[in-house]
PDB file of all heavy atoms in Angstrom:
ATOM      1  N   GLU A  39     -12.360  20.891  -5.310  1.00  0.00           N
ATOM      2  CA  GLU A  39     -11.033  21.485  -5.179  1.00  0.00           C
ATOM      3  C   GLU A  39      -9.956  20.427  -5.370  1.00  0.00           C
ATOM      4  O   GLU A  39     -10.179  19.240  -5.116  1.00  0.00           O
ATOM      5  CB  GLU A  39     -10.888  22.140  -3.800  1.00  0.00           C
ATOM      6  CG  GLU A  39     -11.764  23.354  -3.603  1.00  0.00           C
ATOM      7  CD  GLU A  39     -11.465  24.068  -2.297  1.00  0.00           C
ATOM      8  OE1 GLU A  39     -10.624  23.578  -1.532  1.00  0.00           O
ATOM      9  OE2 GLU A  39     -12.073  25.122  -2.056  1.00  0.00           O
ATOM     10  N   ARG A  40      -8.782  20.881  -5.790  1.00  0.00           N
ATOM     11  CA  ARG A  40      -7.652  19.973  -5.928  1.00  0.00           C
ATOM     12  C   ARG A  40      -7.204  19.543  -4.542  1.00  0.00           C
ATOM     13  O   ARG A  40      -7.069  20.367  -3.635  1.00  0.00           O
ATOM     14  CB  ARG A  40      -6.522  20.679  -6.664  1.00  0.00           C
ATOM     15  CG  ARG A  40      -5.423  19.766  -7.117  1.00  0.00           C
ATOM     16  CD  ARG A  40      -4.519  20.477  -8.111  1.00  0.00           C
ATOM     17  NE  ARG A  40      -5.261  20.893  -9.293  1.00  0.00           N
ATOM     18  CZ  ARG A  40      -4.702  21.479 -10.344  1.00  0.00           C
ATOM     19  NH1 ARG A  40      -3.397  21.730 -10.352  1.00  0.00           N
ATOM     20  NH2 ARG A  40      -5.434  21.834 -11.369  1.00  0.00           N
ATOM     21  N   GLU A  41      -6.972  18.259  -4.362  1.00  0.00           N
ATOM     22  CA  GLU A  41      -6.589  17.739  -3.045  1.00  0.00           C
ATOM     23  C   GLU A  41      -5.310  16.913  -3.152  1.00  0.00           C
ATOM     24  O   GLU A  41      -5.060  16.251  -4.173  1.00  0.00           O
ATOM     25  CB  GLU A  41      -7.707  16.877  -2.446  1.00  0.00           C
ATOM     26  CG  GLU A  41      -8.025  15.632  -3.229  1.00  0.00           C
ATOM     27  CD  GLU A  41      -8.997  14.699  -2.504  1.00  0.00           C
ATOM     28  OE1 GLU A  41      -9.183  14.856  -1.284  1.00  0.00           O
ATOM     29  OE2 GLU A  41      -9.534  13.798  -3.170  1.00  0.00           O
ATOM     30  N   ALA A  42      -4.535  16.934  -2.079  1.00  0.00           N
ATOM     31  CA  ALA A  42      -3.325  16.110  -2.021  1.00  0.00           C
ATOM     32  C   ALA A  42      -3.720  14.664  -1.757  1.00  0.00           C
ATOM     33  O   ALA A  42      -4.513  14.390  -0.858  1.00  0.00           O
ATOM     34  CB  ALA A  42      -2.393  16.620  -0.940  1.00  0.00           C
ATOM     35  N   VAL A  43      -3.172  13.764  -2.548  1.00  0.00           N
ATOM     36  CA  VAL A  43      -3.463  12.339  -2.404  1.00  0.00           C
ATOM     37  C   VAL A  43      -2.360  11.638  -1.635  1.00  0.00           C
ATOM     38  O   VAL A  43      -2.620  10.872  -0.704  1.00  0.00           O
ATOM     39  CB  VAL A  43      -3.610  11.694  -3.796  1.00  0.00           C
ATOM     40  CG1 VAL A  43      -3.776  10.183  -3.681  1.00  0.00           C
ATOM     41  CG2 VAL A  43      -4.787  12.314  -4.542  1.00  0.00           C
ATOM     42  N   SER A  44      -1.124  11.931  -2.006  1.00  0.00           N
ATOM     43  CA  SER A  44       0.005  11.260  -1.382  1.00  0.00           C
ATOM     44  C   SER A  44       1.273  12.034  -1.702  1.00  0.00           C
ATOM     45  O   SER A  44       1.324  12.800  -2.670  1.00  0.00           O
ATOM     46  CB  SER A  44       0.119   9.828  -1.912  1.00  0.00           C
ATOM     47  OG  SER A  44       1.209   9.154  -1.333  1.00  0.00           O
ATOM     48  N   CYS A  45       2.297  11.842  -0.891  1.00  0.00           N
ATOM     49  CA  CYS A  45       3.588  12.445  -1.182  1.00  0.00           C
ATOM     50  C   CYS A  45       4.696  11.568  -0.626  1.00  0.00           C
ATOM     51  O   CYS A  45       4.468  10.756   0.282  1.00  0.00           O
ATOM     52  CB  CYS A  45       3.691  13.864  -0.630  1.00  0.00           C
ATOM     53  SG  CYS A  45       3.442  14.009   1.141  1.00  0.00           S
ATOM     54  N   ILE A  46       5.881  11.742  -1.194  1.00  0.00           N
ATOM     55  CA  ILE A  46       7.044  10.993  -0.746  1.00  0.00           C
ATOM     56  C   ILE A  46       8.183  11.986  -0.560  1.00  0.00           C
ATOM     57  O   ILE A  46       8.457  12.812  -1.429  1.00  0.00           O
ATOM     58  CB  ILE A  46       7.394   9.866  -1.742  1.00  0.00           C
ATOM     59  CG1 ILE A  46       8.540   9.012  -1.217  1.00  0.00           C
ATOM     60  CG2 ILE A  46       7.686  10.404  -3.149  1.00  0.00           C
ATOM     61  CD1 ILE A  46       8.711   7.687  -1.975  1.00  0.00           C
ATOM     62  N   TRP A  47       8.833  11.888   0.594  1.00  0.00           N
ATOM     63  CA  TRP A  47       9.904  12.832   0.912  1.00  0.00           C
ATOM     64  C   TRP A  47      11.148  12.554   0.067  1.00  0.00           C
ATOM     65  O   TRP A  47      11.446  11.404  -0.261  1.00  0.00           O
ATOM     66  CB  TRP A  47      10.262  12.690   2.393  1.00  0.00           C
ATOM     67  CG  TRP A  47       9.523  13.606   3.297  1.00  0.00           C
ATOM     68  CD1 TRP A  47      10.020  14.669   3.984  1.00  0.00           C
ATOM     69  CD2 TRP A  47       8.129  13.539   3.641  1.00  0.00           C
ATOM     70  NE1 TRP A  47       9.045  15.258   4.744  1.00  0.00           N
ATOM     71  CE2 TRP A  47       7.866  14.592   4.552  1.00  0.00           C
ATOM     72  CE3 TRP A  47       7.074  12.700   3.275  1.00  0.00           C
ATOM     73  CZ2 TRP A  47       6.605  14.830   5.095  1.00  0.00           C
ATOM     74  CZ3 TRP A  47       5.809  12.929   3.800  1.00  0.00           C
ATOM     75  CH2 TRP A  47       5.588  13.982   4.696  1.00  0.00           C
ATOM     76  N   GLY A  48      11.890  13.634  -0.204  1.00  0.00           N
ATOM     77  CA  GLY A  48      13.134  13.475  -0.922  1.00  0.00           C
ATOM     78  C   GLY A  48      14.276  13.061  -0.016  1.00  0.00           C
ATOM     79  O   GLY A  48      15.200  12.376  -0.432  1.00  0.00           O
ATOM     80  N   SER A  49      14.227  13.471   1.244  1.00  0.00           N
ATOM     81  CA  SER A  49      15.341  13.255   2.159  1.00  0.00           C
ATOM     82  C   SER A  49      15.458  11.808   2.634  1.00  0.00           C
ATOM     83  O   SER A  49      16.555  11.261   2.694  1.00  0.00           O
ATOM     84  CB  SER A  49      15.192  14.177   3.365  1.00  0.00           C
ATOM     85  OG  SER A  49      13.927  13.983   3.976  1.00  0.00           O
ATOM     86  N   ASP A  50      14.328  11.208   2.980  1.00  0.00           N
ATOM     87  CA  ASP A  50      14.397   9.872   3.576  1.00  0.00           C
ATOM     88  C   ASP A  50      13.353   8.897   3.058  1.00  0.00           C
ATOM     89  O   ASP A  50      13.233   7.793   3.583  1.00  0.00           O
ATOM     90  CB  ASP A  50      14.296   9.967   5.099  1.00  0.00           C
ATOM     91  CG  ASP A  50      13.016  10.653   5.557  1.00  0.00           C
ATOM     92  OD1 ASP A  50      12.124  10.885   4.715  1.00  0.00           O
ATOM     93  OD2 ASP A  50      12.918  10.969   6.757  1.00  0.00           O
ATOM     94  N   GLY A  51      12.582   9.315   2.062  1.00  0.00           N
ATOM     95  CA  GLY A  51      11.624   8.400   1.463  1.00  0.00           C
ATOM     96  C   GLY A  51      10.363   8.169   2.276  1.00  0.00           C
ATOM     97  O   GLY A  51       9.573   7.263   1.960  1.00  0.00           O
ATOM     98  N   ARG A  52      10.175   8.969   3.346  1.00  0.00           N
ATOM     99  CA  ARG A  52       8.911   8.846   4.075  1.00  0.00           C
ATOM    100  C   ARG A  52       7.748   9.107   3.138  1.00  0.00           C
ATOM    101  O   ARG A  52       7.879   9.801   2.145  1.00  0.00           O
ATOM    102  CB  ARG A  52       8.857   9.866   5.211  1.00  0.00           C
ATOM    103  CG  ARG A  52       9.621   9.492   6.466  1.00  0.00           C
ATOM    104  CD  ARG A  52       9.539  10.620   7.470  1.00  0.00           C
ATOM    105  NE  ARG A  52      10.260  11.795   7.012  1.00  0.00           N
ATOM    106  CZ  ARG A  52       9.993  13.034   7.388  1.00  0.00           C
ATOM    107  NH1 ARG A  52       8.982  13.263   8.215  1.00  0.00           N
ATOM    108  NH2 ARG A  52      10.718  14.035   6.938  1.00  0.00           N
ATOM    109  N   THR A  53       6.607   8.560   3.492  1.00  0.00           N
ATOM    110  CA  THR A  53       5.413   8.747   2.675  1.00  0.00           C
ATOM    111  C   THR A  53       4.251   9.230   3.534  1.00  0.00           C
ATOM    112  O   THR A  53       4.228   9.023   4.747  1.00  0.00           O
ATOM    113  CB  THR A  53       5.020   7.442   1.969  1.00  0.00           C
ATOM    114  OG1 THR A  53       4.784   6.424   2.952  1.00  0.00           O
ATOM    115  CG2 THR A  53       6.116   6.962   1.022  1.00  0.00           C
ATOM    116  N   ASP A  54       3.309   9.854   2.891  1.00  0.00           N
ATOM    117  CA  ASP A  54       2.102  10.302   3.574  1.00  0.00           C
ATOM    118  C   ASP A  54       0.939  10.136   2.605  1.00  0.00           C
ATOM    119  O   ASP A  54       1.124  10.225   1.380  1.00  0.00           O
ATOM    120  CB  ASP A  54       2.241  11.760   4.011  1.00  0.00           C
ATOM    121  CG  ASP A  54       1.215  12.143   5.066  1.00  0.00           C
ATOM    122  OD1 ASP A  54       0.513  11.240   5.575  1.00  0.00           O
ATOM    123  OD2 ASP A  54       1.106  13.346   5.398  1.00  0.00           O
ATOM    124  N   TYR A  55      -0.247   9.900   3.160  1.00  0.00           N
ATOM    125  CA  TYR A  55      -1.422   9.655   2.331  1.00  0.00           C
ATOM    126  C   TYR A  55      -2.628  10.402   2.878  1.00  0.00           C
ATOM    127  O   TYR A  55      -2.782  10.580   4.086  1.00  0.00           O
ATOM    128  CB  TYR A  55      -1.754   8.153   2.300  1.00  0.00           C
ATOM    129  CG  TYR A  55      -0.675   7.297   1.695  1.00  0.00           C
ATOM    130  CD1 TYR A  55       0.334   6.752   2.480  1.00  0.00           C
ATOM    131  CD2 TYR A  55      -0.644   7.054   0.331  1.00  0.00           C
ATOM    132  CE1 TYR A  55       1.340   5.983   1.928  1.00  0.00           C
ATOM    133  CE2 TYR A  55       0.352   6.279  -0.241  1.00  0.00           C
ATOM    134  CZ  TYR A  55       1.343   5.757   0.568  1.00  0.00           C
ATOM    135  OH  TYR A  55       2.341   4.992   0.004  1.00  0.00           O
ATOM    136  N   GLY A  56      -3.506  10.792   1.965  1.00  0.00           N
ATOM    137  CA  GLY A  56      -4.777  11.347   2.385  1.00  0.00           C
ATOM    138  C   GLY A  56      -5.636  10.244   3.002  1.00  0.00           C
ATOM    139  O   GLY A  56      -5.495   9.067   2.640  1.00  0.00           O
ATOM    140  N   ASP A  57      -6.537  10.626   3.893  1.00  0.00           N
ATOM    141  CA  ASP A  57      -7.352   9.632   4.592  1.00  0.00           C
ATOM    142  C   ASP A  57      -8.176   8.775   3.627  1.00  0.00           C
ATOM    143  O   ASP A  57      -8.409   7.591   3.883  1.00  0.00           O
ATOM    144  CB  ASP A  57      -8.290  10.331   5.577  1.00  0.00           C
ATOM    145  CG  ASP A  57      -7.547  10.886   6.777  1.00  0.00           C
ATOM    146  OD1 ASP A  57      -6.411  10.435   7.040  1.00  0.00           O
ATOM    147  OD2 ASP A  57      -8.092  11.786   7.451  1.00  0.00           O
ATOM    148  N   SER A  58      -8.608   9.371   2.522  1.00  0.00           N
ATOM    149  CA  SER A  58      -9.488   8.650   1.609  1.00  0.00           C
ATOM    150  C   SER A  58      -8.770   7.563   0.809  1.00  0.00           C
ATOM    151  O   SER A  58      -9.433   6.711   0.208  1.00  0.00           O
ATOM    152  CB  SER A  58     -10.161   9.636   0.645  1.00  0.00           C
ATOM    153  OG  SER A  58      -9.192  10.287  -0.148  1.00  0.00           O
ATOM    154  N   VAL A  59      -7.441   7.587   0.793  1.00  0.00           N
ATOM    155  CA  VAL A  59      -6.715   6.597  -0.017  1.00  0.00           C
ATOM    156  C   VAL A  59      -5.814   5.697   0.811  1.00  0.00           C
ATOM    157  O   VAL A  59      -5.198   4.774   0.265  1.00  0.00           O
ATOM    158  CB  VAL A  59      -5.888   7.280  -1.123  1.00  0.00           C
ATOM    159  CG1 VAL A  59      -6.764   8.185  -1.974  1.00  0.00           C
ATOM    160  CG2 VAL A  59      -4.705   8.040  -0.540  1.00  0.00           C
ATOM    161  N   LYS A  60      -5.711   5.936   2.104  1.00  0.00           N
ATOM    162  CA  LYS A  60      -4.840   5.121   2.961  1.00  0.00           C
ATOM    163  C   LYS A  60      -5.238   3.650   2.878  1.00  0.00           C
ATOM    164  O   LYS A  60      -6.423   3.312   2.953  1.00  0.00           O
ATOM    165  CB  LYS A  60      -4.926   5.594   4.413  1.00  0.00           C
ATOM    166  CG  LYS A  60      -4.095   6.825   4.698  1.00  0.00           C
ATOM    167  CD  LYS A  60      -4.219   7.238   6.164  1.00  0.00           C
ATOM    168  CE  LYS A  60      -3.410   8.498   6.425  1.00  0.00           C
ATOM    169  NZ  LYS A  60      -3.563   8.984   7.814  1.00  0.00           N
ATOM    170  N   GLY A  61      -4.235   2.811   2.717  1.00  0.00           N
ATOM    171  CA  GLY A  61      -4.488   1.382   2.623  1.00  0.00           C
ATOM    172  C   GLY A  61      -4.813   0.907   1.222  1.00  0.00           C
ATOM    173  O   GLY A  61      -4.869  -0.294   0.975  1.00  0.00           O
ATOM    174  N   ARG A  62      -5.041   1.834   0.305  1.00  0.00           N
ATOM    175  CA  ARG A  62      -5.383   1.448  -1.076  1.00  0.00           C
ATOM    176  C   ARG A  62      -4.325   1.916  -2.074  1.00  0.00           C
ATOM    177  O   ARG A  62      -4.067   1.239  -3.063  1.00  0.00           O
ATOM    178  CB  ARG A  62      -6.734   2.050  -1.472  1.00  0.00           C
ATOM    179  CG  ARG A  62      -7.894   1.604  -0.609  1.00  0.00           C
ATOM    180  CD  ARG A  62      -9.221   2.078  -1.194  1.00  0.00           C
ATOM    181  NE  ARG A  62      -9.322   3.535  -1.259  1.00  0.00           N
ATOM    182  CZ  ARG A  62      -9.557   4.221  -2.370  1.00  0.00           C
ATOM    183  NH1 ARG A  62      -9.703   3.596  -3.526  1.00  0.00           N
ATOM    184  NH2 ARG A  62      -9.659   5.544  -2.347  1.00  0.00           N
ATOM    185  N   PHE A  63      -3.732   3.064  -1.824  1.00  0.00           N
ATOM    186  CA  PHE A  63      -2.754   3.645  -2.750  1.00  0.00           C
ATOM    187  C   PHE A  63      -1.348   3.513  -2.145  1.00  0.00           C
ATOM    188  O   PHE A  63      -1.179   3.602  -0.920  1.00  0.00           O
ATOM    189  CB  PHE A  63      -3.047   5.121  -2.995  1.00  0.00           C
ATOM    190  CG  PHE A  63      -4.278   5.397  -3.817  1.00  0.00           C
ATOM    191  CD1 PHE A  63      -5.212   4.407  -4.104  1.00  0.00           C
ATOM    192  CD2 PHE A  63      -4.503   6.673  -4.311  1.00  0.00           C
ATOM    193  CE1 PHE A  63      -6.341   4.673  -4.858  1.00  0.00           C
ATOM    194  CE2 PHE A  63      -5.629   6.957  -5.067  1.00  0.00           C
ATOM    195  CZ  PHE A  63      -6.547   5.954  -5.339  1.00  0.00           C
ATOM    196  N   THR A  64      -0.361   3.356  -3.015  1.00  0.00           N
ATOM    197  CA  THR A  64       1.028   3.284  -2.580  1.00  0.00           C
ATOM    198  C   THR A  64       1.885   4.148  -3.499  1.00  0.00           C
ATOM    199  O   THR A  64       1.866   3.972  -4.723  1.00  0.00           O
ATOM    200  CB  THR A  64       1.552   1.842  -2.614  1.00  0.00           C
ATOM    201  OG1 THR A  64       0.721   1.011  -1.793  1.00  0.00           O
ATOM    202  CG2 THR A  64       2.981   1.780  -2.092  1.00  0.00           C
ATOM    203  N   ILE A  65       2.643   5.058  -2.891  1.00  0.00           N
ATOM    204  CA  ILE A  65       3.546   5.907  -3.658  1.00  0.00           C
ATOM    205  C   ILE A  65       4.961   5.345  -3.532  1.00  0.00           C
ATOM    206  O   ILE A  65       5.346   4.834  -2.472  1.00  0.00           O
ATOM    207  CB  ILE A  65       3.477   7.373  -3.170  1.00  0.00           C
ATOM    208  CG1 ILE A  65       4.202   8.308  -4.129  1.00  0.00           C
ATOM    209  CG2 ILE A  65       4.010   7.511  -1.749  1.00  0.00           C
ATOM    210  CD1 ILE A  65       3.970   9.800  -3.815  1.00  0.00           C
ATOM    211  N   SER A  66       5.741   5.438  -4.598  1.00  0.00           N
ATOM    212  CA  SER A  66       7.086   4.885  -4.556  1.00  0.00           C
ATOM    213  C   SER A  66       7.972   5.585  -5.586  1.00  0.00           C
ATOM    214  O   SER A  66       7.477   6.212  -6.531  1.00  0.00           O
ATOM    215  CB  SER A  66       7.061   3.386  -4.842  1.00  0.00           C
ATOM    216  OG  SER A  66       6.567   3.130  -6.152  1.00  0.00           O
ATOM    217  N   ARG A  67       9.277   5.447  -5.364  1.00  0.00           N
ATOM    218  CA  ARG A  67      10.263   5.961  -6.328  1.00  0.00           C
ATOM    219  C   ARG A  67      10.964   4.773  -6.974  1.00  0.00           C
ATOM    220  O   ARG A  67      11.162   3.739  -6.325  1.00  0.00           O
ATOM    221  CB  ARG A  67      11.334   6.773  -5.621  1.00  0.00           C
ATOM    222  CG  ARG A  67      10.890   8.048  -4.977  1.00  0.00           C
ATOM    223  CD  ARG A  67      12.073   8.693  -4.258  1.00  0.00           C
ATOM    224  NE  ARG A  67      11.704   9.920  -3.590  1.00  0.00           N
ATOM    225  CZ  ARG A  67      11.764  11.121  -4.140  1.00  0.00           C
ATOM    226  NH1 ARG A  67      12.203  11.245  -5.381  1.00  0.00           N
ATOM    227  NH2 ARG A  67      11.404  12.191  -3.478  1.00  0.00           N
ATOM    228  N   ASP A  68      11.395   4.923  -8.207  1.00  0.00           N
ATOM    229  CA  ASP A  68      12.240   3.878  -8.772  1.00  0.00           C
ATOM    230  C   ASP A  68      13.666   4.091  -8.262  1.00  0.00           C
ATOM    231  O   ASP A  68      14.006   5.132  -7.717  1.00  0.00           O
ATOM    232  CB  ASP A  68      12.169   3.894 -10.298  1.00  0.00           C
ATOM    233  CG  ASP A  68      12.868   5.097 -10.910  1.00  0.00           C
ATOM    234  OD1 ASP A  68      13.031   6.125 -10.214  1.00  0.00           O
ATOM    235  OD2 ASP A  68      13.239   5.022 -12.090  1.00  0.00           O
ATOM    236  N   LYS A  69      14.520   3.087  -8.435  1.00  0.00           N
ATOM    237  CA  LYS A  69      15.868   3.131  -7.855  1.00  0.00           C
ATOM    238  C   LYS A  69      16.714   4.254  -8.449  1.00  0.00           C
ATOM    239  O   LYS A  69      17.610   4.769  -7.805  1.00  0.00           O
ATOM    240  CB  LYS A  69      16.553   1.785  -8.043  1.00  0.00           C
ATOM    241  CG  LYS A  69      15.953   0.685  -7.172  1.00  0.00           C
ATOM    242  CD  LYS A  69      16.730  -0.612  -7.285  1.00  0.00           C
ATOM    243  CE  LYS A  69      16.150  -1.675  -6.376  1.00  0.00           C
ATOM    244  NZ  LYS A  69      16.894  -2.955  -6.456  1.00  0.00           N
ATOM    245  N   ALA A  70      16.444   4.618  -9.650  1.00  0.00           N
ATOM    246  CA  ALA A  70      17.200   5.693 -10.291  1.00  0.00           C
ATOM    247  C   ALA A  70      16.671   7.070  -9.916  1.00  0.00           C
ATOM    248  O   ALA A  70      17.236   8.083 -10.331  1.00  0.00           O
ATOM    249  CB  ALA A  70      17.150   5.520 -11.810  1.00  0.00           C
TER     250      ALA A  70
END
């Protein structure tokens, strides 16, 4: 099944990660 890996909030830039990728993956936005 399709699973959520990570997400980043639009309001404050908070991030969240799935347990299987925590500590290995990093989500980010560019300045623009």
Side-chain angles (χ1 to χ4, degrees):
E39 292 187 357
R40 192 167 299 183
E41 63 172 344
V43 174
S44 180
C45 58
I46 185 166
W47 268 250
S49 55
D50 58 10
R52 280 177 293 154
T53 59
D54 197 9
Y55 298 90
D57 288 341
S58 62
V59 306
K60 280 180 182 177
R62 300 189 298 123
F63 289 12
T64 303
I65 191 171
S66 62
R67 294 177 181 269
D68 71 337
K69 289 185 178 180

